[in-house]
Amino acid sequence: GDGQSDITFEVTLVKDRSHWEVSRPEVILKPSKKVFAPGNLRATNDNAKYDALVKHWISDRYTLRYSGGMVPDVYHMFAKSGGVFSNVSSEKARAKLRLLYEVAAMGLLVECADGVTTHEFEDKSVLDFVVDDLDRRMGVCFGSKDEVQKYKDFMFSK
C-alpha cells in the first residue's frame, strides 16, 4: 500500500562491535544457481521422490553446501546470490523445522530477496500457512525461483 517494495538487506557489526551498518542494501537471489543444501537426508531412505531429487542434484554437478542448520545454509544462499535449501520429511524421518520460530522468519527473508518458498508436499508458500500450534513443524524448500521449481517438478509429480 505505501508504494515501497519488501526487500532483504544485510547489516554488519562494525566499530569494535558497537555499531550496525548496512553492508548490502539489497540481497537478491538469482533465478538459478547450482548450489544445494539438502537437510534431513535420512528421509531419502523412505521417500523415493526426495531420493531421486538429491541424486539429480549430485549427477547434475550441483555444489553441495550443508552445515546441518537451516539458517547458515539459507544465509549461504544470500551470500552467493542463489541456490536451494530443502528439508523434507518421511514416515521415519519427521519434520523438525517449526513454522513459527524458523520456517516463517527465514521464508519471509527468502521471498523478500526474490526467492521462492514451498511446503514440502504442497505447492504453497510457507507464508500462507496459519500458525495454529506453537510447535507446528514442516518440511520446506527455499531458494532461487528455478531451483525451487525443479524441487516442485520432482516432489509434486504423480
Side-chain angles (χ1 to χ4, degrees):
D2 61 8
Q4 295 183 351
S5 297
D6 294 326
I7 62 167
T8 298
F9 60 93
E10 179 182 83
V11 294
T12 302
L13 194 55
V14 296
K15 297 182 183 174
D16 294 323
R17 300 170 63 173
S18 65
H19 180 74
W20 291 99
E21 284 187 5
V22 175
S23 49
R24 286 197 323 181
E26 190 168 23
V27 175
I28 299 288
L29 296 178
K30 295 175 185 169
S32 184
K33 185 136 181 124
K34 291 176 79 169
V35 176
F36 76 115
N40 201 16
L41 284 172
R42 285 190 178 108
T44 61
N45 288 321
D46 60 330
N47 184 324
K49 290 181 178 183
Y50 193 38
D51 185 53
L53 177 60
V54 170
K55 286 177 179 173
H56 163 76
W57 285 327
I58 293 168
S59 68
D60 209 26
R61 313 280 302 158
Y62 276 58
T63 299
L64 173 65
R65 160 63 185 188
Y66 179 73
S67 70
M70 178 182 67
V71 172
D73 286 345
V74 171
Y75 182 76
H76 184 263
M77 285 191 317
F78 293 152
K80 298 296 183 181
S81 300
V84 64
F85 167 81
S86 64
N87 192 297
V88 175
S89 65
S90 70
E91 187 176 321
K92 294 180 182 175
R94 302 278 184 200
K96 295 178 181 150
L97 300 175
R98 293 168 299 173
L99 174 60
L100 178 62
Y101 304 107
E102 296 138 346
V103 172
M106 294 306 292
L108 177 63
L109 292 174
V110 168
E111 289 190 14
C112 287
D114 279 350
V116 176
T117 68
T118 191
H119 180 268
E120 65 181 317
F121 300 128
E122 189 175 348
D123 191 0
K124 182 176 174 180
S125 166
V126 299
L127 300 179
D128 292 334
F129 284 86
V130 175
V131 178
D132 54 3
D133 179 348
L134 297 180
D135 196 45
R136 182 174 184 181
R137 294 165 190 258
M138 62 175 49
V140 299
C141 181
F142 294 163
S144 297
K145 291 175 185 172
D146 295 348
E147 304 306 335
V148 174
Q149 185 58 52
K150 285 178 192 168
Y151 171 92
K152 292 176 181 182
D153 292 345
F154 273 84
M155 298 301 292
F156 300 157
S157 65
K158 300 272 181 190

